[in-house]
Amino acid sequence: MRINTLCRRLLPAAIACAVGTSGAVLAADPEEIIEYRQGAMQVTKYHFSTIADMLKGKIEYDQAAVEKHADVVQMMSTLVKDEFPEGTDALAGETGALIDIWDKPDEFADKVAEFEKTASELEDVAESGDRERLAKAVKDVGSSCKACHDDFRQDE
Amino acid sequence: MRINTLCRRLLPAAIACAVGTSGAVLAADPEEIIEYRQGAMQVTKYHFSTIADMLKGKIEYDQAAVEKHADVVQMMSTLVKDEFPEGTDALAGETGALIDIWDKPDEFADKVAEFEKTASELEDVAESGDRERLAKAVKDVGSSCKACHDDFRQDE
């Protein structure tokens, strides 16, 4: 274990409180933040996969619903950068979050920014009702999810 | 157990697929919907309680963060009406959701509408930066959460 990793793990979890880049101040309890973060991932996955399922014909296509789901995915994408504050790194390994999130913050931030960008495009395209462009936008969001999970999430 | 409750519980969970009042078409697997729903509650709780913690002085007040948290609470409030589709009632009792949600749909809808209303007010007030009004808005949201949980959620 590297020294900086060790030091971080020795930091009392209770002092964890970070100001994210969006200005969202996070609550202090790492367990609560992790529970929230995992919930946020579920919410994102659900709304995103519902759009994908509509495009695949698994469930009926519904334009108003697609727009709503895309709005939620976009909103959720803006929260990710604040979901991994210092303090929650002490629990890396116990959750799917790899310590690389905190060891390579710039690379992680790039992946998160890519998710925000693709989710914002998804929201824009969803309003157009153009299913071909929507399929492309869904694919791009999916790729940004995968790119981040490949590097920063434990294999399931 | 009443006959209609019994019948609902005998319905194969796999056929569950409902169109919610907002037009959001829900995916078919009740377990996935429940996982999503519980995640959504975590997300709502986290962002709402972070505002409350700022007002209590537990964490530093941050105007931009308050606005963002309130935006999330408002968005999450609009999703609740679609989080309890037919089919997920078969699992009432195994989760915190009471069967009354499906047995008294109008009363449940009223409680959810009240949450949407108070969350929308919270979003508006958050932008003003008026902490006195914000405290009132937070209290109103909290009351709407409690009113619904009292009637439709199992005691913890």
Side-chain angles (χ1 to χ4, degrees):
Chain A
M1 188 180 282
R2 276 173 297 156
I3 295 296
N4 67 344
T5 304
L6 179 66
C7 291
R8 268 203 309 261
R9 291 187 180 186
L10 291 172
L11 275 174
I15 67 167
C17 186
V19 179
T21 49
S22 73
V25 178
L26 293 170
D29 182 341
E31 280 77 13
E32 278 179 29
I33 295 172
I34 287 166
E35 200 167 22
Y36 152 67
R37 175 168 85 212
Q38 292 176 339
M41 295 292 171
Q42 287 295 336
V43 170
T44 307
K45 183 176 108 179
Y46 179 79
H47 288 277
F48 176 63
S49 63
T50 303
I51 300 174
D53 285 348
M54 284 185 191
L55 288 172
K56 289 176 197 157
K58 282 190 184 178
I59 47 178
E60 194 179 352
Y61 187 89
D62 179 318
Q63 178 57 30
V66 164
E67 291 177 35
K68 180 73 181 180
H69 291 307
D71 284 350
V72 179
V73 172
Q74 188 277 330
M75 166 71 89
M76 297 309 296
S77 78
T78 67
L79 306 177
V80 180
K81 58 177 167 283
D82 294 319
E83 290 172 3
F84 301 85
E86 290 291 331
T88 58
D89 56 345
L91 295 167
E94 292 179 41
T95 71
L98 294 176
I99 195 68
D100 285 351
I101 290 170
W102 297 272
D103 283 346
K104 300 174 181 174
D106 293 343
E107 290 174 39
F108 180 65
D110 285 349
K111 301 281 185 187
V112 174
E114 180 65 18
F115 175 41
E116 281 195 59
K117 181 171 158 279
T118 59
S120 183
E121 286 165 359
L122 176 69
E123 187 182 34
D124 291 342
V125 171
E127 284 176 24
S128 75
D130 180 332
R131 294 204 206 178
E132 202 165 314
R133 288 177 61 215
L134 185 62
K136 169 75 167 59
V138 164
K139 195 179 164 195
D140 290 345
V141 170
S143 297
S144 73
C145 293
K146 184 177 183 303
C148 197
H149 291 167
D150 281 351
D151 287 356
F152 296 104
R153 189 179 67 169
Q154 289 196 57
D155 294 333
E156 284 173 340
Chain B
M1 186 180 284
R2 276 174 298 156
I3 292 298
N4 68 343
T5 304
L6 179 66
C7 291
R8 268 204 308 263
R9 290 189 182 184
L10 291 173
L11 273 176
I15 65 167
C17 186
V19 179
T21 49
S22 75
V25 178
L26 293 170
D29 182 340
E31 280 78 12
E32 278 179 30
I33 295 173
I34 287 165
E35 200 166 24
Y36 152 68
R37 174 168 86 211
Q38 291 176 340
M41 295 291 171
Q42 287 295 336
V43 170
T44 308
K45 183 176 107 177
Y46 179 80
H47 289 278
F48 176 63
S49 62
T50 303
I51 300 174
D53 285 348
M54 285 186 190
L55 288 173
K56 288 176 198 157
K58 283 190 183 178
I59 49 179
E60 194 179 352
Y61 188 89
D62 178 319
Q63 178 58 32
V66 164
E67 291 177 34
K68 179 74 181 178
H69 291 305
D71 284 350
V72 179
V73 172
Q74 187 277 327
M75 166 71 90
M76 297 310 296
S77 78
T78 66
L79 305 177
V80 180
K81 58 177 166 280
D82 293 319
E83 289 171 3
F84 301 85
E86 289 292 330
T88 58
D89 56 343
L91 295 165
E94 292 180 41
T95 72
L98 293 176
I99 195 67
D100 285 350
I101 290 170
W102 296 273
D103 282 346
K104 301 173 181 174
D106 293 343
E107 289 174 38
F108 181 64
D110 285 348
K111 300 281 184 185
V112 174
E114 181 65 17
F115 175 42
E116 281 194 59
K117 178 171 161 278
T118 58
S120 182
E121 286 165 359
L122 176 70
E123 187 182 33
D124 291 343
V125 170
E127 284 176 23
S128 76
D130 180 332
R131 293 203 206 179
E132 201 164 315
R133 287 177 61 214
L134 185 62
K136 169 75 166 60
V138 164
K139 194 179 165 195
D140 289 345
V141 171
S143 297
S144 73
C145 292
K146 185 178 183 303
C148 196
H149 291 167
D150 280 351
D151 287 355
F152 296 105
R153 191 179 67 168
Q154 289 197 56
D155 294 335
E156 285 173 337

XYZ file of all heavy atoms in Angstrom, chain A residues 2-46:
336
model
N 0.567 2.167 -0.884
C 1.389 3.369 -0.932
C 1.106 4.280 0.266
O 0.013 4.217 0.847
C 1.094 4.131 -2.230
C 1.905 3.579 -3.390
C 1.493 4.213 -4.672
N 0.118 3.907 -4.990
C -0.637 4.647 -5.772
N -0.146 5.769 -6.282
N -1.870 4.304 -6.054
N 2.098 5.122 0.555
C 1.984 5.970 1.745
C 0.753 6.866 1.682
O 0.003 6.972 2.660
C 3.262 6.841 1.921
C 4.462 5.961 2.205
C 3.066 7.875 3.039
C 4.385 5.180 3.512
N 0.535 7.506 0.533
C -0.597 8.440 0.501
C -1.933 7.718 0.657
O -2.870 8.219 1.245
C -0.576 9.339 -0.744
C -0.805 8.575 -2.030
O -0.698 7.349 -2.067
N -1.105 9.311 -3.092
N -1.980 6.491 0.136
C -3.195 5.700 0.305
C -3.386 5.329 1.771
O -4.473 5.449 2.343
C -3.114 4.409 -0.537
O -2.883 4.784 -1.888
C -4.389 3.603 -0.443
N -2.270 4.929 2.370
C -2.309 4.555 3.781
C -2.769 5.724 4.640
O -3.647 5.587 5.506
C -0.915 4.092 4.219
C -0.767 3.690 5.686
C -1.595 2.447 5.980
C 0.701 3.426 6.023
N -2.154 6.890 4.376
C -2.501 8.075 5.165
C -3.985 8.398 5.038
O -4.659 8.692 6.027
C -1.695 9.295 4.705
S 0.044 9.136 5.108
N -4.449 8.320 3.798
C -5.861 8.634 3.582
C -6.758 7.688 4.362
O -7.786 8.072 4.893
C -6.192 8.542 2.105
C -6.055 9.859 1.388
C -6.901 9.829 0.161
N -6.599 8.643 -0.597
C -5.805 8.613 -1.646
N -5.223 9.715 -2.071
N -5.564 7.501 -2.272
N -6.345 6.425 4.395
C -7.203 5.450 5.079
C -7.182 5.627 6.592
O -8.077 5.170 7.288
C -6.774 4.036 4.691
C -7.120 3.798 3.232
C -6.903 2.407 2.791
N -7.259 2.310 1.382
C -7.289 1.192 0.699
N -6.975 0.060 1.270
N -7.617 1.189 -0.565
N -6.138 6.288 7.075
C -6.054 6.518 8.515
C -6.833 7.767 8.932
O -7.112 7.977 10.105
C -4.583 6.639 8.942
C -3.797 5.328 8.845
C -2.327 5.587 9.097
C -4.334 4.291 9.823
N -7.128 8.586 7.966
C -7.903 9.791 8.294
C -9.255 9.402 8.864
O -9.954 8.594 8.309
C -8.163 10.614 7.027
C -7.090 11.593 6.587
C -7.500 12.191 5.239
C -6.898 12.694 7.610
N -9.607 10.003 9.975
C -10.930 9.641 10.524
C -12.011 9.968 9.503
O -12.062 11.064 8.968
C -11.052 10.545 11.757
C -9.675 11.042 12.032
C -8.936 11.032 10.735
N -12.833 8.988 9.264
C -13.887 9.160 8.265
C -14.815 10.313 8.630
O -15.374 10.977 7.766
C -14.672 7.864 8.136
N -14.907 10.570 9.923
C -15.847 11.596 10.378
C -15.489 13.002 9.911
O -16.351 13.882 9.869
C -15.939 11.575 11.892
N -14.225 13.205 9.567
C -13.876 14.567 9.138
C -14.176 14.783 7.659
O -13.979 15.867 7.133
C -12.397 14.909 9.417
C -11.464 14.068 8.554
C -12.067 14.795 10.881
C -10.015 14.561 8.542
N -14.664 13.712 7.021
C -14.901 13.828 5.586
C -15.990 14.847 5.278
O -17.101 14.729 5.728
C -15.310 12.480 5.024
N -15.629 15.848 4.546
C -16.607 16.841 4.120
C -15.957 17.619 2.997
O -14.948 18.279 3.211
C -16.994 17.765 5.268
S -18.329 18.875 4.812
N -16.498 17.510 1.816
C -15.808 18.132 0.694
C -16.715 19.096 -0.043
O -17.928 18.934 -0.086
C -15.331 17.062 -0.253
N -16.122 20.104 -0.596
C -16.850 21.008 -1.466
C -16.546 20.579 -2.901
O -15.411 20.613 -3.344
C -16.415 22.462 -1.250
C -17.170 23.376 -2.196
C -16.634 22.866 0.187
N -17.548 20.146 -3.587
C -17.358 19.672 -4.949
C -17.210 20.825 -5.918
O -17.423 21.984 -5.570
N -16.857 20.481 -7.123
C -16.610 21.511 -8.133
C -17.881 22.262 -8.508
O -17.813 23.353 -9.043
C -15.997 20.891 -9.390
O -16.786 19.755 -9.756
C -14.573 20.465 -9.134
N -19.046 21.655 -8.260
C -20.284 22.363 -8.600
C -20.722 23.247 -7.452
O -21.718 23.929 -7.544
C -21.406 21.370 -8.893
O -21.837 20.792 -7.683
N -19.977 23.220 -6.372
C -20.354 24.035 -5.227
C -21.254 23.299 -4.264
O -21.691 23.848 -3.278
N -21.536 22.025 -4.546
C -22.404 21.275 -3.645
C -21.596 20.794 -2.449
O -20.627 20.071 -2.599
C -23.008 20.084 -4.368
N -21.980 21.244 -1.268
C -21.280 20.823 -0.060
C -21.868 19.495 0.395
O -23.070 19.354 0.527
C -21.456 21.869 1.055
C -20.765 21.405 2.328
C -20.877 23.198 0.604
N -21.000 18.552 0.621
C -21.468 17.214 0.954
C -21.538 17.002 2.456
O -20.760 17.563 3.214
C -20.552 16.170 0.320
C -20.628 16.149 -1.212
C -19.525 15.282 -1.787
C -21.976 15.647 -1.672
N -22.476 16.185 2.863
C -22.632 15.847 4.280
C -21.438 15.030 4.739
O -20.662 14.529 3.945
C -23.920 15.081 4.490
N -21.310 14.903 6.061
C -20.049 14.436 6.620
C -19.886 12.929 6.731
O -18.769 12.444 6.795
C -19.857 15.060 7.998
N -20.948 12.182 6.764
C -20.836 10.759 7.053
C -20.576 9.953 5.776
O -21.440 9.871 4.899
C -22.155 10.313 7.709
C -22.141 8.856 8.111
O -21.303 8.107 7.593
O -22.980 8.482 8.945
N -19.386 9.348 5.649
C -19.056 8.622 4.414
C -20.061 7.515 4.075
O -20.388 7.314 2.911
C -17.672 8.035 4.707
C -17.090 8.937 5.729
C -18.242 9.388 6.567
N -20.539 6.804 5.096
C -21.501 5.733 4.808
C -22.770 6.286 4.156
O -23.318 5.684 3.233
C -21.885 4.965 6.086
C -20.864 3.924 6.527
C -19.646 4.530 7.209
O -19.706 5.731 7.566
O -18.641 3.823 7.392
N -23.214 7.421 4.664
C -24.416 8.035 4.077
C -24.157 8.481 2.646
O -25.021 8.351 1.780
C -24.839 9.261 4.898
C -25.643 8.908 6.125
C -26.024 10.151 6.914
O -26.175 11.231 6.314
O -26.141 10.041 8.136
N -22.965 9.030 2.427
C -22.638 9.487 1.076
C -22.589 8.296 0.113
O -23.081 8.372 -1.016
C -21.299 10.260 1.069
C -21.444 11.545 1.885
C -20.867 10.578 -0.365
C -20.144 12.284 2.107
N -22.040 7.197 0.592
C -21.947 6.003 -0.265
C -23.339 5.439 -0.560
O -23.646 5.069 -1.697
C -21.017 4.960 0.379
C -19.574 5.447 0.246
C -21.193 3.588 -0.268
C -18.574 4.724 1.105
N -24.186 5.430 0.441
C -25.554 4.945 0.233
C -26.262 5.846 -0.797
O -26.944 5.355 -1.699
C -26.307 4.959 1.564
C -27.507 4.066 1.591
C -28.036 3.863 3.020
O -27.754 4.714 3.898
O -28.721 2.882 3.245
N -26.056 7.132 -0.623
C -26.613 8.095 -1.583
C -26.050 7.866 -2.980
O -26.785 7.806 -3.968
C -26.304 9.513 -1.112
C -26.197 10.533 -2.211
C -27.324 10.887 -2.969
C -24.989 11.143 -2.523
C -27.236 11.816 -3.988
C -24.893 12.066 -3.536
C -26.008 12.401 -4.264
O -25.919 13.314 -5.284
N -24.746 7.727 -3.062
C -24.077 7.554 -4.362
C -24.587 6.303 -5.077
O -24.857 6.324 -6.276
C -22.575 7.442 -4.120
C -21.771 7.149 -5.337
C -20.312 7.342 -5.027
N -19.669 6.181 -4.442
C -18.656 6.230 -3.560
N -18.218 7.385 -3.122
N -18.104 5.135 -3.111
N -24.725 5.227 -4.330
C -25.208 3.996 -4.948
C -26.658 4.152 -5.401
O -27.053 3.640 -6.451
C -25.032 2.825 -3.973
C -23.543 2.516 -3.750
C -23.273 1.438 -2.717
O -24.105 1.157 -1.870
N -22.086 0.858 -2.781
N -27.421 4.902 -4.626
C -28.789 5.211 -5.039
C -28.805 6.033 -6.310
O -29.610 5.791 -7.220
N -27.903 7.004 -6.370
C -27.831 7.879 -7.549
C -27.487 7.074 -8.803
O -28.024 7.328 -9.890
C -26.806 8.989 -7.310
N -26.618 6.098 -8.644
C -26.259 5.245 -9.789
C -27.474 4.431 -10.245
O -27.704 4.259 -11.438
C -25.099 4.310 -9.425
C -23.785 5.017 -9.130
S -23.037 5.800 -10.589
C -21.705 6.737 -9.807
N -28.252 3.939 -9.286
C -29.471 3.199 -9.623
C -30.460 4.078 -10.398
O -31.077 3.638 -11.372
C -30.165 2.685 -8.351
C -29.469 1.534 -7.664
C -29.445 0.260 -8.495
O -30.286 0.067 -9.371
N -28.474 -0.578 -8.252
N -30.613 5.299 -9.918
C -31.549 6.224 -10.573
C -31.095 6.488 -12.004
O -31.888 6.438 -12.956
C -31.661 7.545 -9.768
C -32.433 8.602 -10.555
C -32.339 7.277 -8.419
N -29.814 6.752 -12.168
C -29.264 7.038 -13.498
C -29.472 5.843 -14.421
O -29.955 5.977 -15.549
C -27.764 7.352 -13.382
O -27.596 8.387 -12.408
C -27.203 7.819 -14.717
N -29.097 4.674 -13.914
C -29.198 3.445 -14.710
C -30.649 3.199 -15.141
O -30.914 2.864 -16.296
C -28.699 2.258 -13.869
C -28.686 0.931 -14.593
C -28.078 -0.159 -13.704
C -29.126 -1.117 -13.217
N -28.598 -2.201 -12.382
N -31.553 3.380 -14.211
C -32.961 3.088 -14.505
C -33.490 3.989 -15.630
O -34.094 3.503 -16.595
C -33.802 3.259 -13.239
C -35.255 3.004 -13.495
C -35.739 1.701 -13.571
C -36.140 4.046 -13.722
C -37.072 1.455 -13.843
C -37.470 3.810 -13.997
C -37.929 2.517 -14.053
O -39.240 2.278 -14.335
